[in-house]
């Protein structure tokens, strides 16, 4: 299990074949920054620093990053090692999913709250190589 998100944690090393899968961590969604300030089309309010940081040591053909909210509508912003952003909202009801190939390097994960009324909402984030995993199945 990853450590709980409090500010910007040190990177957690991740390589294909990691265990356990899914690897999970918890945190509080939301923040003072609009996700759209990082990339057009991203939704929600996110913190100024990522809640979770991965150090990907070898390329993943598919890495799934997904969030299961605990009572709020969450969003997801992922800064990839190449500096691009992938964002999602509501892939699995109110739970976001970002999946696809990921190259080696630093991956920053921001879990946002769709509504300013939902800031500080508890969530579980999961990382897996499964291309079909959905947040509703996070243990």
């Amino acid at each position: 299990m990853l450590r709980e998100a409090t500010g910007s944690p040190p990177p957690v090393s991740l390589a294909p074949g990691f265990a356990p899968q899914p690897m999970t961590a918890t945190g509080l969604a939301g923040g003072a920054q609009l996700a759209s300030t990082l990339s057009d089309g991203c939704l929600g309010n996110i913190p100024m620093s990522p809640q979770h940081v991965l150090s990907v040591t070898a390329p993943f053909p598919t890495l799934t990053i997904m969030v299961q909210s605990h009572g709020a509508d969450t969003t997801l912003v992922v800064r990839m090692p190449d500096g691009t952003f992938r964002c999602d909202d509501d892939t699995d009801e109110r739970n976001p999913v970002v999946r696809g190939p990921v190259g080696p390097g630093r991956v920053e994960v921001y879990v946002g709250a769709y509504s300013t009324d939902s800031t500080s909402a508890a969530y579980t984030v999961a990382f897996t190589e499964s291309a079909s995993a959905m947040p509703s199945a996070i243990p």
Side-chain angles (χ1 to χ4, degrees):
M1 174 174 292
L2 300 174
R3 66 183 277 243
E4 287 194 19
T6 54
S8 199
V12 173
S13 291
L14 208 59
F18 69 91
Q21 289 197 35
M23 182 180 293
T24 62
T26 59
L28 298 175
Q33 176 177 217
L34 290 173
S36 60
T37 61
L38 294 183
S39 183
D40 290 339
C42 293
L43 300 173
N45 302 288
I46 60 172
M48 300 303 285
S49 299
Q51 293 111 313
H52 311 278
V53 178
L54 304 175
S55 177
V56 175
T57 59
F60 282 93
T62 300
L63 181 65
T64 299
I65 302 170
M66 55 190 174
V67 175
Q68 182 183 73
S69 66
H70 303 292
D73 188 0
T74 52
T75 64
L76 183 58
V77 177
V78 180
R79 183 178 186 274
M80 305 308 289
D82 65 3
T84 61
F85 289 89
R86 295 184 195 163
C87 305
D88 190 55
D89 177 39
D90 297 343
T91 289
D92 185 24
E93 296 188 20
R94 297 187 308 175
N95 298 309
V97 178
V98 167
R99 79 174 90 237
V102 177
R106 181 180 170 97
V107 175
E108 298 177 346
V109 179
Y110 299 80
V111 180
Y114 184 79
S115 167
T116 55
D117 295 337
S118 299
T119 57
S120 298
Y123 68 83
T124 300
V125 63
F127 306 92
T128 182
E129 292 178 270
S130 169
S132 61
M134 294 301 277
S136 55
I138 294 173

